[in-house]
Amino acid sequence: MLIKATTELMKNQKHAALFSPQSRPVAIQDTDGRAIFFSISEDGILYLTLKAFGVSQNSKTLTFDIALVLTAEGSDYLYTSLDHAADAWDLGVEWRLQAFDADGLGSTRKVQISNLYIMDIPLKQEDSSHNIFVDVLQDPDNGQQLDRYYIRPSTAPHWKLQVLGINLLAGSVTSCLGKVERERVPGIYTYGRFNNDKAELMFAPRYDAFDPTNKPPIHLFQLPQNSSAIASSIGPEGLTTLFVAAASGLSVYTTNNQKNNAAPKLVVPSSTDVLDNIFAGVTQMAASIVGDQTVVWCVNAQKSLFYVSCLQGSEGDRTAWSVPVPQLAKVDNFGFYINRTLSNNVLFANSSQGLVRLTQDPSTSLWKEYRILLPAPDIGTLREMETFTSHIEVFNDDGAPAIGITLSVRANGLTSVYIDGTQYSLDPQVPVKAVTGSDGTLTVVQQTTILAAVCFEVKTLDGASSLLVDPSGKAMQRLSAAGSGQDLRAVRITDERGNTKPLIPSDVPQQNSDAAASAVQRLLAIRKELPPDGTTQENPISSDPGTLKSFVVDYSAEIHVYSELEVPPEKFGPGRQRSKEAAYLPRFTEGGLDYIKTKLGNLLQWVGDAWQSVTSFAVNMVNGYWYMVVEIAGEVWGAVLNCVAAVSDVVEFVFNKIKVVFEDIISWLGAVLGWNDIVRTHKVIKNIIKQHAAMLASSFDLMEKSISSAFEEAENQISAWAGLTGPQTTVGEASLRGDGIPDSNNPQSHWAVYHTKNGIEGVNIDATVPSEVGDEVKLIVDGLEKILEEEKDNLKEALLRVKNEVASQFTSLSAIQTLKRLAGIVGILIAEAAETAIIGILDIAKLLVQAAVSLLEKPIDIPIISPLYKRFAGEDLSILDLMCLIGAIPATIIYKAMTGNAPFADDTETNALIDSTSFTDIISILQGTGDSKPVPATSNGQPENKQLNPIRAFASIPLDGKVLATLNIASSFDTLIYAFANLEKFGTQETSKNLNMVAVTSYYVHIILHISSYLGTSTIWTKFDQTWTVLAASNALISNLTGLSENPVWIENISPFLESLLHVVWIAPTVGIFVDVAASPKNSDIEAFVSRVVSDLAGTCTFLTSVEYFPEVAPFAAPIICGANVASGAVDLLTGVAYIGSN
């Protein structure tokens, strides 16, 4: 089995809405460390006023509790849902109203809740305490005085007043829950101004454990000056550690230091040269102790989010804490947890970019950022995101697409991906299983906000075949072509509408672009020395051991890159060689590696936001390991540069410094759909199909005689198949040849296929298919059913032989071998009864097809594609538009990759094709002089080496060659949808209108490539082919878009029977047309012959899917037919390319 993959850095879309929380998010985890996320969204969920909520999780059992406050008719109501199992979230939530029943106050009191606090405190392995507090305004209509209650969920009265003897005012205090040493019951920490203007901090248990009628004992703590926020976290012994943020830094009250008048210990000073007073004005703070880690996150007055951590149990040791480094800017609120399985940070933050999730990889320490999305409220809603999109193809050993094969997908780091539209979390430990689709492919979409990506491995379950996918590898390869500043300045990037601009802004000095190019090339060289699978470097690089290799980039004025030096480690300090380049090294090397103050991921995350503050950076090799060193305001920070993703991050930073933003990097190194060119190609394809359909409806009266002569010719020709000579390449080998076609496997070429598969069942189609047919049609159907019953024995014998002797082995046979095997089988099918049955199609088509054709242009709404088509084409999308677009996108991309130009220029010749009002006019245009008017090259934003040397000069390709190339490439991709739709339909009792519409229209686009029969010399075989093209289209329309689509006998038996007969006979013109040119065939003749033979073989087998007639074979026939259609499409692609390459 062979696995291949192509990845593009590209914009992709999701049918979803961006989640915009209106409250602080809370995140907990299930037993596998997966996030369970809570927040109040802006869409008025439940259509009530959800005022506040709280969530807490037992750190031992992982059960969790939820409490929320609802407002109705001016009063607040408290609801709780307790003791949820973390892995049973999908069972739903049962809410219990905790009605206000405080002693002596009655249940009729108007309640206005100011604050809600909840903490699940583990007392024993099997027990816990639901510690819930609520602050209520004493008089909602007068003043801000608060009463504090603790809630007893299982004991009445449920609301108990906590009598403190101090004044609590709404808005002047903040609190968190906990349990302190020597207190038997849990309670609440409160920070703020109680009885005077001085800030105070205290702890009070819920009640006096020795005498509940007394006031609870209060612990007053000493406070550091200019404090602003507190947070607590439960440790393994069930006691809480208390943290306080102040201008001086982070202070802690350890579990054994929370007696009355306890003084905190400063453990993380705020003051550094760069991060002066980072803890000053902290407005939000959260802490967690899980496993061996204690982590504290904060948002300060500048809305900068940062964290510090230490080993659990070392909270009071100043030397145990990490250095605080900003991780995200402009943050409004956040929530986090420490993954209990991987011991890494998982963060949710509401920032200027919306709600994002950041996950830190425990191996590389790099952060991965994702947007939080919700189901879309309507078809037109979509979210665009930058992605690494990977198109993965799987082939059997014979070259056939491996349909329905289960694969294992495992990432070498932590990431979230969409596999064929479904979201999965990937990690190194547990692989995800995914099944290939109807074309033997998977699409893996990895959302990104940076150049770095997580590598992943795809392999078969038996491990016999595997492939490592480096999503950023292609972009890095393209980048390597820009070896100089001049190369960078020559690059122009193009947006989706064809607007271009230089990659490097004009105000960036030449010196700076030269320096950036030099730095990037050095970084790419380093990247090649690191593990290619994305894991971290474990062993020192063997080259030049024991020396320091360095290059320095100085941003103090114009940018300079100073050459790599080799300095022995013992000469880090004074006395080493001095030169212009070496003058910058003392900042990075004196003191050895003392500049390693934080994890690589933390440093890169900070630099990603603060790149403008970086005054210089260097990359050093010390003892076989690379180190990144950054200078900010005279202070040096560093981290080990030990994985390829980290290098990609640094490359992005280099470009930021010369005013190249991430979106422009994507336009250059990634791929951008050129919608202007695509829409023109689409309009050409659409009008050809539209005018062919109009001709179809008007040509039936002339066809009955043609059908009779066609059967005569077919019967006369079959005996000659045994002596036929021609191409000997097997179908499987031919299918695989398409791998070398530029951009044929590009995820952008498959963009519309991917989104159609994922969105088709959500489509709204404004088309009403008639549910009834007239008596005349019913009589014809009855006659066809009678023919089928009379001929069933012969049919079954012949078709079973076709399956066993030909179809099941089609990939290992050449087209000639296929025909020779069919010659001895199908003669029995081409009989008088078969001719009568085919005429039955014609008779029904006369009555029904015109109405069916009109449905192809009815508007449809399909997620993602419809709104984007409207944006760029300015029109509503129809089902015909959709299928034409599916083909137009790859046709345009592949044609441009091969010639450097779009297939159709914006000129009078193209407009003539688009505006033609009859199929005859289109044929006349294509049979004209064929002179092309070259369209100016429309760069897709790639570097110069991305544009291949044209396989054929654009101007030398005649118009009919361009059309045939485009139609064949389009057919190849529409065949993928046709195979998908039919595989979905096979074996189902009720098929959806959506699948029927997709099946018939994709089939129509697939067979329209037979237009070539109209362009050559008129022979009996081209006329035969034209007749059968019309009949095949008619049968598809009848079976999917008329009242017969509701007739189970027609759908399950008669229509498949007719399809088999059509394709058996259709082999004759396929062979005849090839024989006429066999003496000196063009490449396009050979490829078209192979494609049509395989397509006819697939069609011949259609009746094998009838469960009534072939109950044992039908389940196996469908995948064979699907595979043959996909293989036929693959050869269509070769045909289209042949028209470009040599015509």
Side-chain angles (χ1 to χ4, degrees), residues 634-789:
E635 185 172 354
V636 179
W637 298 72
V640 62
L641 198 62
N642 59 359
C643 62
V644 293
V647 176
S648 299
D649 255 353
V650 181
V651 167
E652 184 180 343
F653 158 75
V654 171
F655 278 109
N656 287 340
K657 293 294 284 186
I658 57 170
K659 303 182 181 180
V660 179
V661 298
F662 183 59
E663 291 75 13
D664 290 344
I665 295 174
I666 288 181
S667 297
W668 172 35
L669 301 180
V672 176
L673 285 174
W675 279 98
N676 290 350
D677 294 333
I678 289 169
V679 169
R680 268 198 309 279
T681 304
H682 158 270
K683 288 182 176 180
V684 170
I685 296 172
K686 179 183 178 181
N687 198 45
I688 290 172
I689 294 172
K690 181 179 175 181
Q691 299 309 326
H692 186 273
M695 182 199 69
L696 179 156
S698 63
S699 60
F700 296 131
D701 292 336
L702 305 175
M703 291 180 59
E704 188 165 339
K705 184 177 180 181
S706 298
I707 293 173
S708 297
S709 61
F711 269 88
E712 289 179 17
E713 296 294 341
E715 288 181 275
N716 294 334
Q717 190 201 64
I718 289 176
S719 59
W721 291 358
L724 196 64
T725 60
Q728 296 300 313
T729 302
T730 69
V731 173
E733 291 169 344
S735 300
L736 291 174
R737 287 211 317 271
D739 186 55
I741 297 173
D743 286 341
S744 61
N745 299 324
N746 190 312
Q748 282 215 312
S749 295
H750 292 261
W751 176 85
V753 174
Y754 170 72
H755 287 299
T756 299
K757 288 181 179 180
N758 289 328
I760 194 60
E761 284 305 323
V763 165
N764 293 324
I765 300 180
D766 183 19
T768 302
V769 177
S771 58
E772 295 289 337
V773 294
D775 291 339
E776 190 173 354
V777 172
K778 291 179 181 178
L779 285 174
I780 299 171
V781 172
D782 289 343
L784 290 171
E785 188 175 8
K786 182 178 179 182
I787 291 173
L788 173 57
E789 187 61 25

Side-chain angles (χ1 to χ4, degrees), residues 383-399:
R383 296 305 305 176
E384 294 192 299
M385 53 192 179
E386 312 302 346
T387 70
F388 288 99
T389 300
S390 301
H391 178 68
I392 298 167
E393 301 173 288
V394 188
F395 299 91
N396 292 318
D397 293 337
D398 58 6

Side-chain angles (χ1 to χ4, degrees), residues 59-115:
S59 59
K60 290 184 177 179
T61 66
L62 294 187
T63 58
F64 63 91
D65 305 329
I66 316 172
L68 59 83
V69 177
L70 292 176
T71 299
E73 298 181 351
S75 189
D76 293 342
Y77 298 86
L78 175 66
Y79 286 82
T80 59
S81 185
L82 308 176
D83 297 322
H84 276 280
D87 293 329
W89 176 244
D90 56 344
L91 298 179
V93 176
E94 292 185 7
W95 295 101
R96 176 179 178 180
L97 174 64
Q98 302 290 347
F100 185 78
D101 60 354
D103 293 331
L105 295 178
S107 60
T108 59
R109 174 182 170 180
K110 180 180 179 181
V111 175
Q112 192 169 108
I113 296 174
S114 178
N115 300 302

Side-chain angles (χ1 to χ4, degrees), residues 831-954:
E832 183 177 346
E835 182 178 338
T836 304
I838 297 299
I839 292 174
I841 297 176
L842 181 62
D843 292 336
I844 295 175
K846 292 176 183 178
L847 300 170
L848 300 180
V849 159
Q850 190 163 3
V853 167
S854 67
L855 297 178
L856 299 180
E857 293 225 64
K858 294 292 184 179
I860 67 167
D861 285 322
I862 181 170
I864 298 171
I865 299 177
S866 288
L868 286 180
Y869 180 81
K870 178 78 171 182
R871 181 193 303 175
F872 292 107
E875 302 172 354
D876 290 330
L877 187 79
S878 68
I879 187 67
L880 180 57
D881 284 318
L882 174 62
M883 293 304 134
C884 293
L885 187 65
I886 287 170
I889 290 174
T892 304
I893 291 173
I894 293 169
Y895 198 100
K896 287 173 74 172
M898 295 187 68
T899 68
N901 297 274
F904 301 105
D906 186 7
D907 60 18
T908 54
E909 194 171 58
T910 298
N911 291 334
L913 284 174
I914 294 171
D915 296 334
S916 294
T917 56
S918 73
F919 193 69
T920 302
D921 288 345
I922 290 173
I923 296 301
S924 297
I925 293 170
L926 297 181
Q927 288 177 330
T929 62
D931 292 336
S932 298
K933 300 173 179 61
V935 62
T938 52
S939 168
N940 62 358
Q942 307 301 340
E944 289 301 314
N945 75 315
K946 177 67 172 68
Q947 296 292 349
L948 301 175
N949 292 325
I951 293 176
R952 189 171 183 199
F954 176 81

Side-chain angles (χ1 to χ4, degrees), residues 109-127:
R109 174 182 170 180
K110 180 180 179 181
V111 175
Q112 192 169 108
I113 296 174
S114 178
N115 300 302
L116 169 65
Y117 308 98
I118 182 170
M119 176 182 277
D120 194 318
I121 299 179
L123 301 179
K124 299 178 182 178
Q125 183 65 33
E126 70 282 356
D127 193 14

Side-chain angles (χ1 to χ4, degrees), residues 519-545:
V520 167
Q521 293 307 313
R522 293 168 186 270
L523 288 166
L524 292 178
I526 292 171
R527 190 180 191 274
K528 292 179 181 179
E529 295 185 343
L530 296 171
D533 62 358
T535 57
T536 55
Q537 176 189 352
E538 295 183 358
N539 300 309
I541 296 170
S542 59
S543 60
D544 300 318

